[in-house]
Amino acid sequence: MELENEKQLNFIEQIISDDLESGRVQEIITRFPPEPNGYLHIGHAKSICLNFGLAEKFNGKCNLRFDDTNPEKEEEHYMEAIKEDVRWLGFQWAKLCYASDYFEQFYRWAVDLVKAGLAYVDHQSPEEIRQTRGTLTEPGENSPYRNRDIEKNLELLQKMRKGEFDEGECVLRAKIDMSHPNINMRDPVMYRILKKAHYRTGNLWCIYPMYDFAHGYEDAIEGITHSICTLEFADHRPLYDWFLENVDIPSRPRQYEFARLNLSYTVMSKRLLLGLVGEGIVSGWDDPRMPTIQGLRRRGYTPSSIRKFCQEIGVAKSNSMVDYELLEHTIREELNAKAQRVMVVLHPLKVIIENYPDDAEELIKYQNNPEDPSMGTRMVPFSKELYIERDDFREDPPKKYFRLAPGKEVRLKHAYYITCREVIKDEWGNIVELRCEYDPESKGGETPDGRKVRGTLHWVSAPHGVKVEIRLYDKLFTLKNMSEMEEGKNYPHYLNPHSLEVLSESVAEPVLKEAQPGDRFQFLRQGYFTVDSDSTPDTLIFNRTVALKDTWAKIQNKG
RNA sequence: UGGGGCGUGGCCAAGCGGUAAGGCAAGGGACUUUGGAUCCCUGAUUCGGAGGUUCGAAUCCUCCCGCCCCAGCCA
């Protein structure tokens, strides 16, 4: 089975496999190169799993490198959060690197390019540069500064570095071809002047390298063999190669592109995510509805479920939109095997067992996880007064309704069979209580006569129950593909008003008093829940990670 | 109308000239002290389209169509 798995390589694995076989490389080194200007999301997780996964699979190494070449956007706390997220996902980097550590080397290579007549200082304004770049169908025009002599360029570049020019006054440009059909090759900017303090280099520099100029060199310095990035950089590959081919470098990396992840009903763009946080639509970057690593973590996703998901979606070059159901499936699959089953009544309805002794109580033996008997059993208190789910009773039950109704019998999980004898209502006709009768013979959930009951309900003993807060989460947006918003509408038009529902009357069985933030449970017949970081021993808060599959809901929806 | 990339069932995705893997979703059934889980079964006569090469094409060639990306001193 594993052999087949190894045979089925994605296109990048095939390239690596071939490179190793042909001897083009002895050992592979990859890297995950985030810019510390925001929090990581599930799309980054795909890249992380790919890069670190490749290193693991081929016995190579993977670096974590901060691509911190823009002091205007980058901050230390993002860097720390990114490191934590990568570790949480379960990966260890071979080296922790920073593009900003290479600034001096970048400068030397820039000087080399100037000396080779391949770069020049341009005094055109940003607008002039834009205007002379040409368009998709028309070539650009050469800058009037393009043919300055080398000595002059060297001198000007030094002045740029020394801070003798203001921001925007000039840039260093690569001298390639202003009529190149690939716009990226039309004398791209290498250095711009930014008189801003950098979070790591402080005020040491006032010129900062552009991505295209820097990235290949970062890879070359670290000995990266396979530099993997997303599809939109494919157009930049000729430039990546150009910079590497025109100076002396310690190693020759190659760039490969794959399709970034899109997930239905959510967005991956940092801008939109930032908007959700900034406008208070979500509580923060770690809001459990966010597709961020921190959001998923708080929602209750495990690192292994996210890794599994990334493995399942595959790696290819076609733009794709993955159903969020696949993400849900991976966490259900894992938690089904591992999570302790526990009973919590989300919307309580009181039940009085009329023929149960008034002050009696007993302990019911309860299986912690039928999928894993080694998880053992525990004792759950039972008494005359219980809560069941409001939804588990219908005064006028529809067809195929297996739950409680007047005169009908159901099983209380692991406890007894009960039959509803009377419905108590308040003055407005709302059902406030059920009077039931239990069968003492049915203890444990079966009777000597072997009669069958279709419905099995979860329950909580009222005097023993613990009041808890439950946060029910759902999709953030109502539109499956958020890149297909209608004209004139933007993302606020598509917010799901039911993405968060807070229940404050829920009642849990007493074991949950011991639950710690991050613990995960299956609430029987409801779904998987985790203890939220806001939770305290006095007010326990549970987040719903994902609901259980609900076949009954499906039957109902069909009419 | 320049350049680059991509088109395999509802969503991903294998396939690399020898007769369409797998997962998710969907539907049907079995089982069930979670209407959970599990287990069976069903679904592309067909690979964006049209030609061509070949004994044989999703795989090779030609043309066409569709979608995505690129005109930051962002990454």
Side-chain angles (χ1 to χ4, degrees):
Chain A
M1 198 168 76
E2 215 155 331
L3 270 172
E4 282 178 25
N5 237 337
E6 279 170 34
K7 265 190 215 166
Q8 219 160 68
L9 305 178
N10 65 48
F11 79 98
I12 293 176
E13 293 170 333
Q14 284 185 29
I15 289 166
I16 291 174
S17 178
D18 292 347
D19 286 345
L20 252 13
E21 209 164 299
S22 72
R24 211 213 95 207
V25 298
Q26 307 308 314
E27 178 192 40
I28 67 153
I29 306 181
T30 57
R31 101 267 96 113
F32 172 61
E35 183 185 16
N37 70 343
Y39 291 88
L40 263 26
H41 53 60
I42 184 79
H44 293 110
K46 178 179 181 181
S47 174
I48 292 167
C49 291
L50 211 209
N51 280 294
F52 283 91
L54 251 15
E56 266 171 33
K57 185 163 191 164
F58 293 96
N59 290 310
K61 296 189 178 94
C62 181
N63 293 343
L64 172 61
R65 176 170 76 229
F66 289 98
D67 202 4
D68 52 356
T69 56
N70 185 351
E72 295 187 315
K73 295 183 173 178
E74 296 148 9
E75 292 169 30
E76 175 116 32
H77 74 276
Y78 287 126
M79 181 186 89
E80 293 304 331
I82 289 168
K83 279 163 37 181
E84 192 194 330
D85 286 349
V86 172
R87 275 195 229 102
W88 181 78
L89 277 171
F91 296 106
Q92 284 183 314
W93 45 86
K95 285 189 197 162
L96 182 60
C97 307
Y98 301 86
S100 53
D101 282 348
Y102 313 143
F103 283 174
E104 188 62 44
Q105 178 60 255
F106 294 160
Y107 184 81
R108 273 183 248 141
W109 277 321
V111 168
D112 289 346
L113 288 168
V114 172
K115 285 181 178 166
L118 293 173
Y120 63 100
V121 174
D122 192 348
H123 287 274
Q124 291 183 109
S125 67
E127 300 79 77
E128 288 171 319
I129 288 181
R130 179 164 41 78
Q131 278 160 13
T132 55
R133 186 151 26 223
T135 66
L136 296 178
T137 51
E138 303 162 76
E141 300 160 33
N142 285 171
S143 164
Y145 304 94
R146 195 174 198 261
N147 290 315
R148 244 186 327 215
D149 66 76
I150 291 172
E151 286 312 312
K152 185 69 182 170
N153 281 134
L154 245 20
E155 179 192 326
L156 258 13
L157 177 56
Q158 272 174 35
K159 285 187 173 183
M160 280 175 68
R161 176 176 182 167
K162 284 182 186 156
E164 292 179 23
F165 297 111
D166 290 331
E167 284 189 14
E169 217 179 312
C170 55
V171 292
L172 182 71
R173 284 231 254 175
K175 191 172 177 177
I176 306 179
D177 180 358
M178 286 307 290
S179 59
H180 198 109
N182 180 341
I183 293 186
N184 293 299
M185 299 297 271
R186 317 237 262 232
D187 290 13
V189 173
M190 293 165 60
Y191 271 121
R192 77 281 213 187
I193 296 168
L194 250 25
K195 298 198 169 172
K196 302 262 178 358
H198 184 278
Y199 79 107
R200 292 191 79 242
T201 60
N203 293 310
L204 226 195
W205 294 87
C206 64
I207 55 173
Y208 291 91
M210 296 289 289
Y211 171 87
D212 288 310
F213 165 51
H215 206 89
Y217 292 150
E218 295 165 21
D219 290 335
I221 290 168
E222 293 171 22
I224 301 302
T225 53
H226 301 263
S227 179
I228 298 161
C229 61
T230 45
L231 249 30
E232 66 271 27
F233 290 99
D235 284 344
H236 297 240
R237 195 173 57 232
L239 234 197
Y240 180 96
D241 291 335
W242 187 91
F243 280 115
L244 292 172
E245 281 159 6
N246 285 295
V247 298
D248 287 324
I249 44 168
S251 77
R252 179 58 220 260
R254 297 281 167 187
Q255 174 183 301
Y256 302 94
E257 311 86 20
F258 73 101
R260 61 174 353 128
L261 169 66
N262 294 296
L263 238 201
S264 59
Y265 299 105
T266 192
V267 294
M268 282 325 162
S269 110
K270 279 181 188 171
R271 203 192 98 250
L272 290 182
L273 258 17
L274 182 66
L276 292 169
V277 175
E279 287 167 44
I281 291 164
V282 296
S283 66
W285 287 95
D286 66 344
D287 186 293
R289 291 166 290 183
M290 293 284 273
T292 52
I293 303 299
Q294 297 193 9
L296 290 166
R297 176 181 184 171
R298 190 168 172 188
R299 177 78 171 256
Y301 277 84
T302 58
S304 49
S305 70
I306 294 173
R307 280 189 254 118
K308 178 81 186 324
F309 172 74
C310 290
Q311 191 182 93
E312 293 292 313
I313 58 178
V315 176
K317 297 186 78 159
S318 57
N319 294 314
S320 60
M321 166 73 67
V322 175
D323 282 343
Y324 79 97
E325 284 88 350
L326 182 59
L327 217 209
E328 293 193 323
H329 167 259
T330 61
I331 189 63
R332 274 199 199 102
E333 185 180 48
E334 179 175 333
L335 263 18
N336 174 51
K338 299 202 305 201
Q340 181 181 4
R341 272 59 170 174
V342 113
M343 293 192 289
V344 177
V345 174
L346 267 30
H347 300 93
L349 171 61
K350 184 164 279 184
V351 167
I352 308 285
I353 316 279
E354 292 191 298
N355 58 336
Y356 195 83
D358 279 354
D359 295 316
E361 63 177 65
E362 63 188 301
L363 292 172
I364 301 290
K365 192 175 178 188
Y366 195 98
Q367 197 173 16
N368 284 327
N369 186 352
E371 299 298 314
D372 181 3
S374 76
M375 285 178 72
T377 59
R378 67 175 183 283
M379 303 310 280
V380 180
F382 184 89
S383 68
K384 185 185 183 79
E385 260 183 57
L386 309 167
Y387 290 113
I388 64 165
E389 210 65 58
R390 276 212 104 80
D391 207 36
D392 284 340
F393 175 79
R394 290 287 185 86
E395 196 169 14
D396 188 17
K399 284 250 160 29
K400 292 189 197 166
Y401 187 82
F402 304 151
R403 285 115 96 147
L404 200 58
K408 287 192 69 178
E409 185 172 50
V410 296
R411 170 167 42 232
L412 296 179
K413 178 77 174 177
H414 287 332
Y416 293 102
Y417 289 1
I418 60 168
T419 303
C420 178
R421 292 301 178 207
E422 193 183 343
V423 180
I424 312 292
K425 296 180 180 177
D426 64 14
E427 52 187 303
W428 300 283
N430 300 311
I431 298 169
V432 294
E433 186 178 301
L434 264 24
R435 297 296 169 101
C436 299
E437 186 181 302
Y438 87 120
D439 177 358
E441 296 275 87
S442 65
K443 182 158 187 187
E446 49 192 5
T447 53
D449 65 11
R451 69 179 185 275
K452 299 283 182 203
V453 284
R454 287 303 294 271
T456 300
L457 312 185
H458 59 283
W459 51 273
V460 170
S461 165
H464 304 274
V466 184
K467 204 171 236 192
V468 297
E469 178 177 320
I470 305 287
R471 297 176 181 173
L472 264 19
Y473 293 101
D474 200 356
K475 301 183 274 254
L476 234 196
F477 294 105
T478 55
L479 184 65
K480 188 166 191 170
N481 184 348
M482 286 299 287
S483 68
E484 288 174 0
M485 292 184 280
E486 285 174 52
E487 271 297 308
K489 290 189 177 177
N490 45 24
Y491 76 88
H493 291 270
Y494 298 97
L495 285 168
N496 175 8
H498 309 295
S499 65
L500 170 58
E501 187 184 351
V502 179
L503 308 179
S504 50
E505 300 298 318
S506 305
V507 185
E509 59 162 293
V511 259
L512 253 19
K513 274 189 280 194
E514 317 300 328
Q516 298 298 313
D519 285 354
R520 300 179 181 88
F521 301 93
Q522 184 197 96
F523 288 5
L524 200 75
R525 301 206 301 135
Q526 306 279 359
Y528 296 98
F529 291 74
T530 188
V531 182
D532 188 73
S533 49
D534 285 348
S535 192
T536 66
D538 292 332
T539 48
L540 283 164
I541 301 171
F542 292 89
N543 296 329
R544 182 172 67 193
T545 306
V546 64
L548 246 29
K549 284 193 192 163
D550 190 348
T551 309
W552 170 237
K554 213 174 271 180
I555 293 169
Q556 278 181 307
N557 288 339
K558 270 191 268 184

